[in-house]
Amino acid sequence: MTGYASAQHGASATGAETDARAPQTRRLGLEIRSVNSRFLDLSFRLPDELRVMEPTLRALLTARLKRGKVEVRAALDSDDGNSLQDPPARLLQRLNSLQDSVRAWLPSAAPLTVADALRLCANAHSGNEDWSEAVPALAEEALTALLAAREREGKRLATMLLDRVKQLRALAAQAVPMVPLLVEQQRQRFMERWKEAMALTDGSTLPEAARDRALTEATAFAIRIDVAEEITRLDSHLDEIERLLKKGGEVGKRLDFLIQELHREANTLGSKSAALDLTRISVDMKVLIEQMREQVQNIE
């Protein structure tokens, strides 16, 4: 199922090289996105500092998720209020010494800019931060929020699907009395044709034989357009869909199969149609079933 959750964590890190000024604060942001998939497919977009945490995150997600294409993103950002702090003097001295050593061997090398110095100082400082406890805790928080979002979406989808089931039952109920009516109408047409034929006959055909033939054709027509079996199977599939939706759990694959069976019965109903009203019912059923199929794709 689809879902999205994010969590933020602010960490204060003070390295051994820092002076007495206020420590630099960095924010850890983590997002989890999930879309439907037949299997569990995990992908991670982590900064270099957090790549070592990927196995921990993978184990955490695998333990609580069964299906879905899940993407985990993490980012480390400096707090706006502290991002321009003065770099430690000892670190600047070290950079200057390193620059002199490099330029002694490479005289044509460009000198460090202010931006370069600030970036290198920030990178050196960030290396002292330990996220081994913060990352799993933050991932647990985001994952709990994701599961809650998926559960809320699942309830909305279940409500929608149950409404479509109700509409399909109403359409099936409309179709049930139509078949006997159509059979009776067709029988009347055959009998009228039989009477017309008897009025024009020269006596070479026995009236009883012609009448029996007309009734036989009417019976064959009734068998050909009978959709009682399709309606029964459709009702059975709808019962099973209702049962699965009320039961909950991992029902996505079974619902997908039942939707295919519903579509099959609606198609058969349309192919047997002998009246525009039955054709309309078949079309309306297929529209509702297609709406259900699209939503079932999002159910785990």
Side-chain angles (χ1 to χ4, degrees):
M1 291 177 60
T2 59
Y4 171 83
S6 64
Q8 300 289 329
H9 175 81
S12 178
T14 306
E17 296 292 332
T18 59
D19 54 20
R21 298 179 180 86
Q24 184 180 16
T25 300
R26 306 186 78 201
R27 290 195 308 270
L28 168 62
L30 190 142
E31 296 180 350
I32 304 179
R33 303 170 184 267
S34 171
V35 296
N36 187 58
S37 178
R38 293 181 60 191
F39 308 100
L40 182 60
D41 181 10
L42 302 178
S43 63
F44 298 87
R45 295 190 178 184
L46 308 175
D48 293 338
E49 301 166 65
L50 300 181
R51 289 192 182 279
V52 68
M53 301 301 302
E54 181 175 328
T56 301
L57 292 173
R58 186 177 295 275
L60 180 64
L61 269 64
T62 302
R64 299 185 64 183
L65 298 175
K66 301 302 180 183
R67 293 178 63 191
K69 184 176 178 61
V70 181
E71 180 183 68
V72 180
R73 293 190 181 194
L76 288 169
D77 298 311
S78 296
D79 184 75
D80 293 339
N82 297 315
S83 59
L84 296 179
Q85 290 179 359
D86 294 338
R90 292 179 60 184
L91 189 53
L92 289 175
Q93 292 173 357
R94 179 61 177 162
L95 287 176
N96 187 58
S97 175
L98 290 173
Q99 176 179 239
D100 291 341
S101 298
V102 171
R103 299 193 70 186
W105 289 94
L106 301 172
S108 60
L112 288 173
T113 65
V114 174
D116 292 335
L118 290 174
R119 177 175 53 81
L120 291 171
C121 288
N123 290 340
H125 180 72
S126 63
N128 296 321
E129 295 172 332
D130 183 9
W131 298 101
S132 59
E133 295 183 2
V135 170
L138 197 64
E140 189 76 39
E141 177 185 345
L143 183 55
T144 300
L146 175 71
L147 293 174
R150 287 168 58 148
E151 183 178 357
R152 290 192 297 271
E153 182 192 9
K155 291 180 179 179
R156 291 193 295 269
L157 290 177
T159 300
M160 186 280 291
L161 291 173
L162 289 173
D163 177 69
R164 300 301 186 273
V165 167
K166 182 179 179 181
Q167 295 183 50
L168 285 170
R169 289 193 188 279
L171 289 172
Q174 295 177 26
V176 169
M178 286 186 180
V179 174
L181 181 61
L182 289 172
V183 171
E184 180 60 26
Q185 291 176 350
Q186 189 65 20
R187 192 183 74 82
Q188 291 295 334
R189 292 194 194 99
F190 281 133
M191 294 306 298
E192 290 173 1
R193 293 178 184 175
W194 170 72
K195 291 178 181 179
E196 293 175 359
M198 289 302 96
L200 299 175
T201 184
D202 56 0
S204 59
T205 304
L206 294 176
E208 292 80 4
R211 183 175 180 277
D212 290 343
R213 181 175 179 181
L215 292 176
T216 300
E217 292 182 5
T219 302
F221 173 79
I223 296 173
R224 197 163 55 247
I225 70 168
D226 184 20
V227 294
E229 185 178 352
E230 286 74 18
I231 297 296
T232 300
R233 285 199 297 264
L234 190 141
D235 284 336
S236 176
H237 297 329
L238 293 177
D239 289 341
E240 181 65 10
I241 289 174
E242 281 188 335
R243 188 189 69 81
L244 291 175
L245 290 174
K246 293 176 180 178
K247 174 186 175 183
E250 299 176 21
V251 298
K253 292 182 179 180
R254 297 185 67 180
L255 286 176
D256 188 51
F257 170 76
L258 289 170
I259 293 300
Q260 294 179 25
E261 293 302 306
L262 285 179
H263 198 273
R264 189 194 312 276
E265 304 305 336
N267 272 334
T268 305
L269 183 66
S271 65
K272 288 187 174 183
S273 174
L276 289 177
D277 287 341
L278 269 178
T279 301
R280 176 188 58 79
I281 289 175
S282 173
V283 171
D284 291 344
M285 281 184 172
K286 286 190 279 189
V287 170
L288 292 172
I289 293 169
E290 181 62 23
Q291 293 174 357
M292 295 175 70
R293 186 192 66 80
E294 293 176 357
Q295 297 303 327
V296 163
Q297 300 301 314
N298 295 321
I299 294 180
E300 181 176 342

